[in-house]
């Protein structure tokens, strides 16, 4: 019906009360960069865009940020860096995703293997409920044990329980420059065994995976000089201080060599390291240039990573569709990208079946249907199989208690 761009919490309250009085659905929207359809507009509804709410305040003494939801992740990082601080969560979309959206989906990223995901940095929220009430939850305190942990209830709730209008975030000191290792493999399973060995013996600040499809897609777009023949590439970094980083990255390299890597590069040159990081960040758009995507972010316990990757390869072969796998390998969170031609109905149908089989495979391996993108509208069909009907019922009970008319982001998650 309309897009509303509020500038204050009070204006959000006005919109929500009007919508509630008139039975109008509301879809909160950050930057629209989500990958699960969580911010898709609904028929006859209002899109409440947070794009105009972009105020940032950094307190270097307490190492906290006070942020409105429309602030872009990279802009927060820049503001924090100006006073020697760092906001760690770094989804590949840092240049265009909003903090409000990151909180609403509990976004992760490349460095989360060491530093954790968005919820680990959220200290407080201001949330407008479905009846227009504005709640201040948590706040600028490092410890909080009063009552239920309601702040965390709204992190990852995808706009279904309330609209986030202000966020208090914990910051940390900036880490030292990173040392980087890049290893290429002919054997997919060897690359996954290397991930498990690295994770069990070191604390890498980044441990990423790209398969052959992703490597070649990135090369087609960017021409970084990646090895097009490699079946898998691992990119690891260490941000330990001084010589400790050198020792750790060399230990990571030794693991890869021992487990059969074809080529291993180790460098302390931050520009070279950033090139490989950029290659990984650009993988999804590069693969998307090959066709339409059905994009997953299934995660499994680390010992099952090899079974997931090789299982996805089998699904790809069985249904004759391309499935590229990129991953935040160090925490078992993968992004299977099912590529298909939307003008080929038969291929599109096979892609849908393959996507579902990837979800089912992750569940069988003890994994999750979403590690960081959220359920949104694209994964809700598998929520019951993953968490069980009792947990779905509890989710619905909480939703009904906070949004009895069902007007907040209807059709997302449930």
């Amino acid at each position: 019906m309309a897009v509303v761009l509020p500038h204050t919490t009070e204006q959000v309250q006005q919109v929500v009360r009007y919508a509630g009085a008139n039975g109008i659905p509301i879809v909160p929207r950050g930057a629209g960069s989500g990958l699960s359809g969580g911010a898709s507009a609904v028929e006859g509804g209002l899109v409440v865009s947070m794009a105009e709410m972009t105020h940032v305040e950094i307190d270097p003494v307490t190492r906290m940020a006070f942020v409105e939801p429309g602030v872009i992740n990279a802009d927060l990082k820049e503001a924090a860096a100006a006073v020697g601080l760092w906001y760690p969560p770094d989804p590949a979309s840092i240049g265009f995703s909003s903090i409000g959206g990151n909180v609403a989906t509990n976004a992760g990223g490349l460095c989360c293997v060491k530093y954790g995901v968005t919820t680990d940095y959220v200290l407080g929220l201001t949330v407008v409920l479905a009846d227009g009430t504005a709640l201040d939850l948590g706040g600028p305190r490092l410890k909080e044990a009063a009552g239920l942990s309601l702040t965390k209830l709204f992190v990852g709730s995808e706009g279904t329980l309330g609209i986030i209008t202000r966020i208090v975030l914990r910051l940390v000191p900036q880490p030292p420059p990173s040392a980087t290792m890049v290893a290429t493999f002919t054997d997919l399973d060897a690359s996954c065994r290397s991930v498990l060995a690295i994770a069990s013996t070191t604390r890498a600040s980044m441990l990423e995976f790209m398969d052959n499809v992703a490597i070649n897609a990135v090369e087609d777009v960017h021409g970084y000089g990646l090895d097009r023949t490699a079946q898998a590439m691992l990119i690891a970094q260490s941000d330990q201080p001084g010589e400790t980083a050198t020792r750790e990255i060399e230990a990571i390299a030794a693991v890869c060599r021992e487990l059969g890597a074809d080529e291993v590069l180790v460098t302390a040159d931050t520009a070279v390291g950033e090139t490989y990081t950029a290659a990984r960040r650009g993988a999804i758009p590069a693969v998307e240039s090959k066709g339409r995507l059905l994009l997953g972010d299934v995660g499994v316990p680390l010992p099952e990573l090899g079974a997931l990757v090789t299982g996805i390869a089998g699904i790809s072969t069985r249904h004759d569709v391309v499935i590229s796998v990129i991953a935040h390998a160090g925490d078992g969170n993968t992004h299977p990208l099912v590529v298909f031609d939307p003008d080929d109905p038969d291929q599109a149908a096979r892609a849908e079946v393959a996507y579902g089989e990837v979800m089912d495979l992750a569940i069988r391996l003890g994994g999750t249907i979403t590690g960081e993108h959220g359920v949104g509208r694209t994964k809700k069909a598998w929520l019951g199989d993953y968490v069980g009907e009792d947990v779905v019922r509890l989710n619905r009970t909480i939703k009904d208690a906070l949004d009895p008319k069902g007007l907040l982001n209807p059709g997302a998650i449930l």
Side-chain angles (χ1 to χ4, degrees), residues 210 218 222 224 226 233 235 274-283:
M210 294 170 61
V218 169
H222 298 288
Y224 288 123
L226 307 180
M233 180 170 71
I235 308 168
E274 183 51 42
T275 296
Y276 283 101
T277 303
R280 167 58 187 85
R281 288 193 191 280

Side-chain angles (χ1 to χ4, degrees), residues 30 165 197 352 373:
T165 62
E352 291 277 0
H373 294 167

Side-chain angles (χ1 to χ4, degrees), residues 154-347:
F154 287 89
V155 178
S157 63
E158 302 186 47
T160 63
L161 304 180
I163 301 177
I164 296 166
T165 62
R166 186 172 180 268
I167 306 147
V168 183
L169 296 167
R170 178 172 64 91
L171 305 176
V172 299
Q174 280 192 321
S178 296
T180 302
M181 183 226 65
V182 181
T184 55
F185 294 81
T186 302
D187 184 348
L188 269 179
D189 188 60
S191 69
C192 294
R193 284 187 284 113
S194 297
V195 169
L196 187 58
I198 292 166
S200 66
T201 56
T202 69
R203 196 170 178 223
S205 58
M206 186 176 82
L207 183 51
E208 296 292 307
F209 171 97
M210 294 170 61
D211 72 357
N212 179 262
V213 174
I215 291 168
N216 278 278
V218 169
E219 273 303 283
D220 288 344
V221 175
H222 298 288
Y224 288 123
L226 307 180
D227 181 0
R228 287 183 177 272
T229 67
Q231 294 304 300
M233 180 170 71
L234 297 183
I235 308 168
Q237 290 188 337
S238 172
D239 63 0
Q240 299 279 11
E243 289 300 312
T244 307
T246 302
R247 290 194 295 271
E248 183 170 61
I249 208 69
E250 287 291 356
I252 291 170
V255 167
C256 293
R257 292 188 186 102
E258 181 180 343
L259 292 175
D262 300 306
E263 187 175 359
V264 178
L265 166 72
V266 174
T267 180
D269 187 322
T270 55
V272 174
E274 183 51 42
T275 296
Y276 283 101
T277 303
R280 167 58 187 85
R281 288 193 191 280
I284 292 177
V287 175
E288 192 170 20
S289 69
K290 305 300 179 183
R292 186 167 293 174
L293 297 186
L294 293 173
L295 193 152
D297 74 313
V298 296
V300 291
L302 265 186
E304 302 294 346
L305 181 63
L308 179 66
V309 171
T310 55
I312 290 172
I315 292 170
S316 173
T317 300
R318 189 161 60 251
H319 293 287
D320 191 25
V321 292
V322 173
I323 306 179
S324 176
V325 178
I326 59 177
H328 306 306
D331 52 26
N333 186 192
T334 71
H335 298 318
L337 313 175
V338 184
V339 187
F340 67 99
D341 180 355
D343 296 324
D344 183 337
D346 182 63
Q347 189 180 84

Side-chain angles (χ1 to χ4, degrees), residues 99-144:
I99 294 299
N102 291 173
V103 173
T105 57
N106 192 21
L110 278 68
C111 74
C112 294
V113 62
K114 180 174 181 177
Y115 289 99
V117 296
T118 299
T119 191
D120 299 309
Y121 296 87
V122 177
L123 298 174
L125 298 172
T126 299
V127 182
V128 176
L129 300 182
D131 64 0
T133 302
L135 297 181
D136 289 319
L137 303 172
R141 299 170 294 278
L142 294 177
K143 298 173 102 175
E144 180 71 67

